[in-house]
């Protein structure tokens, strides 16, 4: 007789007393094995080389400088708009005071009319203590009527002017809000780029950081050699000019003498600007800063030339438009040298192929070769 019993499932008892199906256990183990194999087979992103990290960090610093110039421009607009709005609000307050004065004068006239306007001349003559009092009152009312007309005209003019000022103040407030929004966006962009750069650097090992520092020293050394070569070539040109009977007044790009060949007032201004810039060496770069304890690149050049009595715009994009354009081979101490195609950085030339500049976050104001970065162009302020 055939058996109708169901086949038993092989069951194992765990040491803790739990019972597990052998089939389920095998399937679970197989799944774990497959998952492990899949994880091992997943491609891992290659770790960037130190050269790549340096390139990324330099790129982020440059992007941060572009955002900083946008921030500086937006802040300048916001400050200007805030001054305009404050002036309009002050003028509106004064206008309101004049309107109140005129309104009080109109109120005086209205009260006088109320007291006397309800009586006809005959009644006023009958009630007057004497005829002379009536004529005195009539003469006064005629004068008040004339003044009242002028007061009404003044009030209307004041009200129209106040309306125009309120409208202008409203437009200025809108422009201020736009500038403030741009300011906020630029600030966030700077902070984001700098945070990304810090994050990249924080992932480096001690050995990688040492290698990065070595790459930086190599780049600085190469730029310094190029500056020295240019200085030697410039000195040779000057000696040749003297030998040929010319003067040394044409081209002092490699001179470290502080612009002595620049004529008169310009030379004095450049010397003052350079003296100020040298006094800032060692102070930290802080984006958006204009001194006195910290600077960004355009904040330093603006402050230096201001000390010499020359007002420069706030951003690199505007500073490059001020003054006389000069070739790199004709640079003189005090000239401004701009870098990169986007004109996002500026330094002050000191001679010998070197400049004083505020490099980037984490670095201090220092002397450095102008060949450390690609040169866009140069101008001579003053």
């Amino acid at each position: 007789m055939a058996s109708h019993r169901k086949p038993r499932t092989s069951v194992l008892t765990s040491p803790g007393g739990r019972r597990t199906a052998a089939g389920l256990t095998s399937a679970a183990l197989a799944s774990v094995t497959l998952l492990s194999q899949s994880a091992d087979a997943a491609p891992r992103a290659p770790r960037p080389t130190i050269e790549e990290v340096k390139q990324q960090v330099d790129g982020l610093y440059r992007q941060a400088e572009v955002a900083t110039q946008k921030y500086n421009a937006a802040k300048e607009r916001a400050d200007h708009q805030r001054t305009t709005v404050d002036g309009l609000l002050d003028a509106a307050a004064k206008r309101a005071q004049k309107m109140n004065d005129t309104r009080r004068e109109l109120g005086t006239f209205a009260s006088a009319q109320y007291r006397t306007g309800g009586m006809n001349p005959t009644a006023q003559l009958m009630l007057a203590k004497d005829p002379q009092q009536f004529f005195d009152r009539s003469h006064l009312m005629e004068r008040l009527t004339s003044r009242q007309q002028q007061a009404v005209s003044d009030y209307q003019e004041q009200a129209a002017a106040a309306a125009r000022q309120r409208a202008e103040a409203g437009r200025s407030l809108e422009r201020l809000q736009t500038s403030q929004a741009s300011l906020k966006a630029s600030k966030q962009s700077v902070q984001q780029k700098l945070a990304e750069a810090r994050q990249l650097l924080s992932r480096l090992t001690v050995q990688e950081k040492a290698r990065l520092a070595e790459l930086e020293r190599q780049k600085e050394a190469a730029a310094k050699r190029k500056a020295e070569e240019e200085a030697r070539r410039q000195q040779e040109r000057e000696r040749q000019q003297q030998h040929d009977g010319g003067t040394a007044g044409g081209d002092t790009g490699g001179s470290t003498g502080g612009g002595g060949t620049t004529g008169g007032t310009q030379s004095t201004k450049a010397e003052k600007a350079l003296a100020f810039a040298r006094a800032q060496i060692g102070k930290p770069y802080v984006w958006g800063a204009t001194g006195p304890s910290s600077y960004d690149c355009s904040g330093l050049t603006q402050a230096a030339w201001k000390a010499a009595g020359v007002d420069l715009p706030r951003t690199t994009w505007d500073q490059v438009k001020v003054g006389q354009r000069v070739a790199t081979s004709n640079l003189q101490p005090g000239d401004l040298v701009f870098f990169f195609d986007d004109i996002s950085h500026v330094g002050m030339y000191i001679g010998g192929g070197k400049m004083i500049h505020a490099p980037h976050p984490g670095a201090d104001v220092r002397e450095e070769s102008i060949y450390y970065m690609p040169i866009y162009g140069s101008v001579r302020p003053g």
Side-chain angles (χ1 to χ4, degrees):
M1 181 176 177
S3 174
H4 295 285
R5 295 180 180 177
K6 293 183 179 180
R8 292 184 179 180
T9 301
S10 176
V11 177
L12 299 178
T13 303
S14 65
R18 294 173 57 188
R19 295 174 17 144
T20 59
L24 293 177
T25 303
S26 300
L29 289 173
S31 299
V32 170
T33 301
L34 289 174
L35 288 174
S36 177
Q37 291 174 348
S38 299
D40 291 339
R44 295 181 180 178
R47 185 177 179 83
T49 65
I50 297 301
E51 289 77 8
E52 290 173 338
V53 170
K54 184 181 186 321
Q55 185 178 10
Q56 292 177 36
V57 170
D58 289 346
L60 287 168
Y61 278 151
R62 182 178 169 188
Q63 293 173 37
E65 279 206 292
V66 172
T68 295
Q69 295 306 317
K70 291 181 179 179
Y71 171 87
N72 292 338
K75 186 175 187 302
E76 194 171 43
R77 288 194 302 270
D79 290 344
H80 175 73
Q81 291 299 332
R82 190 175 292 107
T83 300
T84 300
V85 169
D86 289 344
L88 288 170
L89 293 177
D90 184 59
K94 292 179 180 178
R95 184 75 64 182
Q97 182 60 43
K98 290 181 180 179
M99 289 178 62
N100 290 335
D101 294 341
T102 304
R103 188 181 289 110
R104 282 193 293 271
E105 187 175 7
L106 289 174
T108 301
F109 295 152
S111 297
Q113 282 187 336
Y114 178 79
R115 288 192 300 269
T116 60
M119 296 183 182
N120 59 40
T122 302
Q124 291 183 44
L125 179 61
M126 294 177 61
L127 294 175
K129 294 182 179 179
D130 57 73
Q132 185 61 43
Q133 183 182 19
F134 169 78
F135 290 112
D136 290 342
R137 287 180 179 177
S138 297
H139 181 64
L140 178 61
M141 288 304 298
E142 289 176 0
R143 291 181 59 192
L144 288 176
T145 300
S146 175
R147 289 176 58 193
Q148 180 182 12
Q149 292 176 352
Q150 183 61 46
V152 170
S153 177
D154 290 344
Y155 182 80
Q156 290 174 337
E157 291 179 4
Q158 298 287 352
R164 289 194 297 270
Q165 286 180 332
R166 285 195 298 270
E168 178 59 26
R171 289 190 292 269
S172 293
L173 281 171
E174 290 178 358
R175 289 192 290 269
L176 175 59
Q177 290 170 350
T178 300
S179 297
Q180 288 175 330
S182 178
L183 187 68
K184 182 179 179 181
S186 297
K187 181 178 181 179
Q188 290 175 340
S189 179
V190 175
Q191 292 173 331
Q192 177 186 351
K193 300 303 179 185
L194 295 180
E196 290 177 18
R198 286 193 297 269
Q199 188 176 25
L200 278 172
L201 294 173
S202 68
R203 295 172 181 169
L204 299 180
T205 64
V206 174
Q207 293 79 7
E208 288 173 333
K209 289 179 180 178
R211 172 60 179 158
L212 182 62
E214 177 60 27
L215 290 176
E216 190 69 22
R217 284 192 294 269
Q218 291 175 5
K219 182 179 179 181
E220 292 173 357
K224 183 179 179 181
R225 285 194 299 271
K226 188 171 182 179
E228 291 171 347
E229 292 171 2
E230 178 58 31
R232 284 194 296 270
R233 285 194 294 267
Q234 182 59 36
Q235 290 171 359
E236 181 59 33
R237 287 194 294 266
E238 292 175 357
R239 283 195 295 268
Q240 187 63 41
Q241 287 176 352
Q242 293 174 351
H243 181 269
D244 293 342
T247 65
D251 188 354
T252 60
S255 171
T256 58
T261 60
T262 312
T265 304
Q266 175 63 23
S267 176
T268 302
K269 290 180 179 179
E271 289 171 358
K272 289 182 179 179
L274 282 169
F276 181 93
R278 286 193 177 96
Q280 312 315 307
I281 291 177
K283 294 183 179 180
Y285 175 105
V286 174
W287 67 271
T290 57
S293 58
S294 59
Y295 299 89
D296 63 20
C297 65
S298 56
L300 175 63
T301 52
Q302 182 189 48
W305 272 100
K306 185 176 182 180
V310 177
D311 290 329
L312 293 181
R314 178 65 182 91
T315 70
T316 54
W317 302 323
D318 291 326
Q319 288 182 9
V320 75
K321 302 174 185 177
V322 176
Q324 174 188 352
R325 292 297 294 267
V326 293
T328 302
S329 59
N330 293 328
L331 282 171
Q332 294 178 359
D335 292 347
L336 302 182
V337 186
F338 298 87
F339 301 91
F340 303 111
D341 291 340
D342 53 16
I343 324 174
S344 57
H345 192 75
V346 62
M348 179 177 289
Y349 190 69
I350 61 175
K354 296 181 180 180
M355 65 178 170
I356 296 174
H357 72 141
H360 55 74
D364 296 334
V365 176
R366 65 192 183 199
E367 292 185 9
E368 200 158 46
S369 168
I370 63 172
Y371 300 105
Y372 184 78
M373 296 168 284
I375 297 174
Y376 171 84
S378 306
V379 301
R380 184 165 299 150

